[in-house]
Amino acid sequence: MQPPTPYLRTAPARVAPGTPANTVWIWLVVLAQAAIFAFATVALTQVQSQMLDYLAAFKSGSGALAQQREAALFGNLWYLGNLIFPFVACGFSVLLAYLDRKALQRRGYDRPFQWVWAFLGLLMYACSLVYVIGRTIVIRRRGGRGAAPLVASIMVEAAGMIAVITYTSFWVTQILTTS
């Protein structure tokens, strides 16, 4: 009996020089990330006055008024949209990642990054950042280019975090000064 031979995996083929690395689908994934932060900014500014009304009623000790303001706040469509929209956008990014992978295969990229990693965006609230990072690493190994979507994604995430921190500090300051 012969000893088993190890499975030899061939190195992935490189694409021809000049093969485009970016698809419209990867840019839509980046746009979905930006849309989440944009929607959150608009939604939070729309419900800010209701939040302050609720907190004022809560501080005043009026339980009935606080419950009424709480129901109004949690029933606000902007508030509900801010809870739901990120999951919808990240779910849409999964579809876009799948389409991106198929487009890369049609362009000749051997074994592009698996689109299933985009599902982590639903858990991490980072909307397919894992897919964009993995895709960039694989595409750069196969063709030597294609880092622009990663740079754009990092810029979107950084700008979003700065906006969230700025808005939160402004909002907390308003709460603490409204006594």
Side-chain angles (χ1 to χ4, degrees), residues 41-141:
T41 302
V42 171
L44 289 174
T45 57
Q46 294 295 322
V47 299
Q48 183 174 358
S49 64
Q50 281 185 308
M51 286 182 188
L52 292 173
D53 288 346
Y54 166 67
L55 289 172
F58 185 77
K59 285 181 183 178
S60 72
S62 172
L65 182 59
Q67 284 180 340
Q68 180 186 13
R69 298 278 166 86
E70 181 182 24
L73 173 63
F74 295 147
N76 186 313
L77 292 180
W78 284 103
Y79 181 83
L80 296 173
N82 199 28
L83 295 176
I84 296 168
F85 182 74
F87 292 105
V88 172
C90 288
F92 187 60
S93 291
V94 172
L95 171 66
L96 296 172
Y98 171 78
L99 295 171
D100 178 58
R101 186 174 197 276
K102 290 296 180 188
L104 290 172
Q105 285 175 328
R106 282 191 301 275
R107 290 180 182 181
Y109 285 91
D110 186 30
R111 296 190 316 244
F113 194 67
Q114 191 54 253
W115 64 272
V116 178
W117 285 97
F119 277 109
L120 280 180
L122 292 168
L123 301 175
M124 297 180 359
Y125 209 67
C127 205
S128 304
L129 187 59
V130 172
Y131 174 75
V132 176
I133 292 169
R135 176 199 188 273
T136 302
I137 291 168
V138 170
I139 294 301
R140 287 188 57 87
R141 285 182 183 164

Side-chain angles (χ1 to χ4, degrees), residues 158-173:
M161 290 299 171
I162 289 169
V164 165
I165 291 168
T166 302
Y167 183 81
T168 303
S169 62
F170 174 74
W171 196 75
V172 168
T173 303

